[in-house]
Every structure is written in structure tokens, then in C-alpha cells.
């Protein structure tokens, strides 16, 4: 009976973790709308954990409109675009690599 209780307790802890906050790979700041890629906004990744994507400046593909606010601090998950997701941009402004946003939330205030 002690093993059953321990199993139930462990199961409940795992459920609580999965219902809680999402772990995000990146912290970033929204810079503003880019010049070259239509409605795509530019972000600067300020930290990166568990990813091959480095800290730096990126076009944030699929960033929800609620996060398209210059200066907004966000946490997000993302990945490099695959071959089907690449598209042409003009070359009027500086060129940045693209990051496909797969999840995002506003960062908590310090």
C-alpha cells in the first residue's frame, strides 16, 4: 500500500508540473517591425537554453499580434524554418535570420 501511495503522489506531482508554466527556450525583447519582410517583427534573443539557436537578432515568424509591441520582453520557444517556410524579403534593411515562434508569453516583470 505504501508503493501505491507513492505512485499516486508522484503522478499528482507530474500532473501539477504539466499544468503549470511552460518552460521556454528563449528570452527576448521585441525590437519592432522589420523593413524587409512584410508584417514580420524583429526580436533580439537575450538568452537561449537547450537550443542550437544563438543569442542575436532574428525575424520572428508567426509571432502573435499581441506580442508585436516594441520594447516588450517575452519568453518563447522557436526553431529554425524548414525549406517550405522560407520566403523572399527585400534587401532594403539589414538582413537577419528567421526564427519560427512555436510558443510565446510576456515575460514576468523583475
Amino acid at each position: 500500500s505504501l508503493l501505491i501511495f507513492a505512485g499516486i503522489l508522484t503522478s499528482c506531482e507530474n500532473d501539477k508540473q504539466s499544468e503549470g508554466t511552460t518552460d521556454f527556450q528563449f528570452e527576448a525583447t521585441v525590437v519592432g517591425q522589420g523593413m524587409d519582410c512584410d508584417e514580420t517583427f524583429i526580436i533580439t534573443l537575450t538568452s537561449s537554453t537547450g537550443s542550437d539557436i544563438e543569442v542575436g537578432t532574428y525575424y520572428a515568424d508567426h509571432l502573435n499580434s499581441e506580442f508585436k509591441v516594441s520594447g516588450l520582453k517575452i519568453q518563447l520557444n522557436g526553431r529554425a524554418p524548414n525549406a517550405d517556410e522560407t520566403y523572399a524579403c527585400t534587401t532594403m534593411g539589414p538582413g537577419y535570420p528567421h526564427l519560427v515562434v512555436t510558443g510565446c508569453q510576456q515575460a514576468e516583470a523583475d
Side-chain angles (χ1 to χ4, degrees):
S1 85
L2 184 57
L3 289 175
I4 293 171
F5 177 72
I8 291 171
L9 184 60
T10 303
S11 173
C12 292
E13 287 299 315
N14 289 340
D15 289 346
K16 286 179 185 174
Q17 289 175 357
S18 65
E19 291 173 8
T21 59
T22 302
D23 290 330
F24 289 96
Q25 299 169 288
F26 308 107
E27 292 182 2
T29 302
V30 179
V31 175
Q33 186 171 346
M35 292 176 56
D36 296 322
C37 296
D38 201 25
E39 299 289 318
T40 307
F41 269 59
I42 297 170
I43 60 170
T44 298
L45 298 183
T46 55
S47 72
S48 172
T49 56
S51 174
D52 293 341
I53 297 172
E54 298 179 5
V55 169
T57 303
Y58 295 84
Y59 275 106
D61 294 338
H62 306 296
L63 183 66
N64 289 342
S65 60
E66 66 189 278
F67 302 112
K68 292 181 177 182
V69 178
S70 296
L72 184 68
K73 305 254 188 246
I74 57 175
Q75 296 173 314
L76 65 133
N77 289 324
R79 60 178 173 72
N82 62 43
D84 295 337
E85 295 172 315
T86 58
Y87 56 92
C89 298
T90 69
T91 56
M92 295 172 54
Y96 300 110
H98 289 253
L99 177 72
V100 177
V101 177
T102 59
C104 187
Q105 74 177 19
Q106 184 171 346
E108 295 179 15
D110 292 332

